[in-house]
Amino acid sequence: MHHLLEPTTDSLSPWLAERGYPAYRAGQVRSWVFARRAGSFDDMTDLPRQVRGELAAEFSIFATRIARHSRADDGTQKLLLELADGGRIECVLLVDGPRRTICISSQVGCAMGCVFCASGLDGVERNLTAGEIVEQMLRLQQLLPPDERLSHIVVMGMGEPLANLDAVLAALDVARSDDGLGISARRITISTVGLPAAIRKLAQVGTPYNLAVSLHAPGDELRNELVPVNKNTGLAAILDAADDFFQANGRRLTFEYVLLGDVNDSPRHAQQLVRLLRGRMALVNVIPYNPVAGLSYRTPSKLAVHAFRNVLVDGGLHVKFRQRKGSEIDAACGQLRRLPIVAPSPLAPG
Ligand code: SAH
């Protein structure tokens, strides 16, 4: 079976040509899948029945299975997808006013080893293919009512996107294209642990994606503990590369900072962060730690969050304190896939 959504190996056009079918059928199929959200070739009613049958015999639209579908009271929905080889990934749909944001994964597991994150607890299994990344977008789009469209993408799910940059970029090309999802790069954010060489490569690509760098510590000593891969890079090289990214495409940088109670949340840490980031066109996104089963970190107290915020604001940084969304369905960061497999929930369409 060919995976229809695999953008790097477009097998549909040659397949049509071999059989003498008109080339425009490829566009029809594409429009059915991306614009009309078809789930099967049978839905594609303006294709001759015979062509539909032949396509169904040789192509799969989806290569994943929905193993679980959960929905939180705030509208957040999360899918646990099982890949053809049994690997499991998660992706999330967030509803925020008019925004319909999806958070997608780039790898099965993660090799970065951030000590507070569920995704990396078992290391990385493999990179996702571009098609598997596109598939998350479509699976989530199918959860929307027909009159609603996906508006934003954040590559902040499981995995380190810059460690799988080629596939991520190929998938995002599909997301941006008019015959794909038509979501502009300005509405797409790539979140990275901070890999300087890959950040520079992304800068050279020249597409105005938003870059978010996960900092979590204002200095190397603490960051080496929380984000072990920092020992190979160091903060200075990461900030240098991020500044180059900003120079290259003018997009304001975002720095993410997960607040861990009594670890990195003191006013002293906040002051250090001000000194580190001052003078940059940057937004600091402060995220209270979302508890992960088996880890002993704590979400900071409201008081500590407030004090941390005041220091950043007084220091002249632009800050956003992220609302926790979907926490009752373990929407954060690789937590769902670690639950023991249960029967697909009744919400699962597939
Ligand atoms: N590897 C990339 C993208 C995936 S992680 C990166 O590091 O940015 C996406 C964001 O979720 C990161 O900022 C990460 O630090 C954060 N995160 C991971 N585990 C978390 C947790 N338990 N609570 C809150 N945020 C978490």
Side-chain angles (χ1 to χ4, degrees):
M1 289 291 258
H2 305 286
H3 186 197
L4 186 75
L5 297 174
E6 205 54 74
T8 40
T9 50
D10 172 19
S11 37
L12 182 58
S13 301
W15 184 91
L16 291 166
E18 261 169 43
R19 282 158 190 77
Y21 293 139
Y24 65 78
R25 296 271 180 238
Q28 278 179 306
V29 169
R30 203 174 164 79
S31 143
W32 271 108
V33 172
F34 285 93
R36 295 200 258 181
R37 307 177 189 181
S40 78
F41 291 104
D42 249 4
D43 297 338
M44 305 181 184
T45 44
D46 55 3
L47 257 60
R49 195 177 294 274
Q50 189 197 330
V51 179
R52 279 185 260 161
E54 288 174 13
L55 281 168
E58 295 192 42
F59 286 85
S60 57
I61 301 179
F62 294 109
T64 66
R65 181 181 79 80
I66 298 177
R68 192 182 173 120
H69 176 185
S70 22
R71 198 186 307 237
D73 290 341
D74 63 13
T76 305
Q77 297 189 60
K78 177 161 183 165
L79 295 177
L80 175 67
L81 298 180
E82 189 170 295
L83 308 169
D85 64 1
R88 294 199 267 161
I89 54 166
E90 299 170 22
C91 52
V92 181
L93 170 69
L94 298 133
V95 174
D96 186 10
R99 289 186 179 210
R100 299 291 176 270
T101 303
I102 56 172
C103 175
I104 55 175
S105 295
S106 55
Q107 297 181 308
V108 186
C110 185
M112 300 300 122
C114 303
V115 293
F116 51 84
C117 176
S119 296
L121 289 178
D122 305 318
V124 66
E125 273 176 47
R126 70 168 169 89
N127 283 338
L128 291 178
T129 67
E132 289 166 336
I133 299 171
V134 171
E135 188 155 329
Q136 296 171 65
M137 303 172 191
L138 289 177
R139 290 283 198 194
L140 292 165
Q141 178 179 245
Q142 284 181 334
L143 303 180
L144 288 178
D147 60 334
E148 291 184 8
R149 293 182 44 137
L150 298 180
S151 64
H152 294 74
I153 300 178
V154 294
V155 191
M156 274 186 201
M158 192 186 298
E160 169 49 45
L162 295 196
N164 186 19
L165 187 58
D166 290 346
V168 167
L169 290 179
L172 293 180
D173 282 346
V174 174
R176 289 187 299 119
S177 80
D178 286 336
D179 63 353
L181 294 173
I183 300 174
S184 88
R186 294 184 162 72
R187 292 170 170 234
I188 299 175
T189 300
I190 301 176
S191 177
T192 178
V193 73
L195 305 177
I199 291 175
R200 290 215 162 77
K201 198 172 158 196
L202 183 62
Q204 278 160 18
V205 169
T207 311
Y209 294 116
N210 301 294
L211 181 71
V213 179
S214 295
L215 277 187
H216 314 320
D220 278 324
E221 201 182 326
L222 181 57
R223 197 168 193 270
N224 287 345
E225 278 173 38
L226 300 178
V227 183
V229 68
N230 190 65
K231 289 179 209 139
N232 310 332
T233 51
L235 273 173
I238 295 171
L239 292 178
D240 251 16
D243 289 340
D244 284 356
F245 182 90
F246 176 72
Q247 288 297 327
N249 69 24
R251 303 296 294 158
R252 178 174 74 168
L253 298 167
T254 298
F255 293 98
E256 291 160 285
Y257 195 103
V258 172
L259 270 188
L260 305 163
D262 294 330
V263 174
N264 64 356
D265 65 339
S266 74
R268 191 178 51 83
H269 292 119
Q271 279 148 11
Q272 242 185 308
L273 191 61
V274 168
R275 283 196 295 276
L276 187 74
L277 297 181
R278 206 166 14 207
R280 288 190 169 78
M281 261 288 276
L283 175 76
V284 184
N285 195 353
V286 182
I287 313 156
Y289 167 67
N290 220 329
V292 174
L295 298 184
S296 55
Y297 295 98
R298 289 186 307 102
T299 307
S301 68
K302 277 215 169 74
L303 207 66
V305 174
H306 197 71
F308 195 87
R309 180 201 172 92
N310 284 347
V311 175
L312 299 190
V313 171
D314 289 348
L317 298 186
H318 300 280
V319 285
K320 188 171 114 195
F321 278 65
R322 196 194 282 174
Q323 299 280 327
R324 282 170 65 179
K325 281 189 161 276
S327 38
E328 87 239 36
I329 55 167
D330 285 337
C333 323
Q335 301 189 33
L336 190 57
R337 112 185 147 117
R338 298 180 57 78
L339 296 175
I341 271 276
V342 290
S345 82
L347 284 171

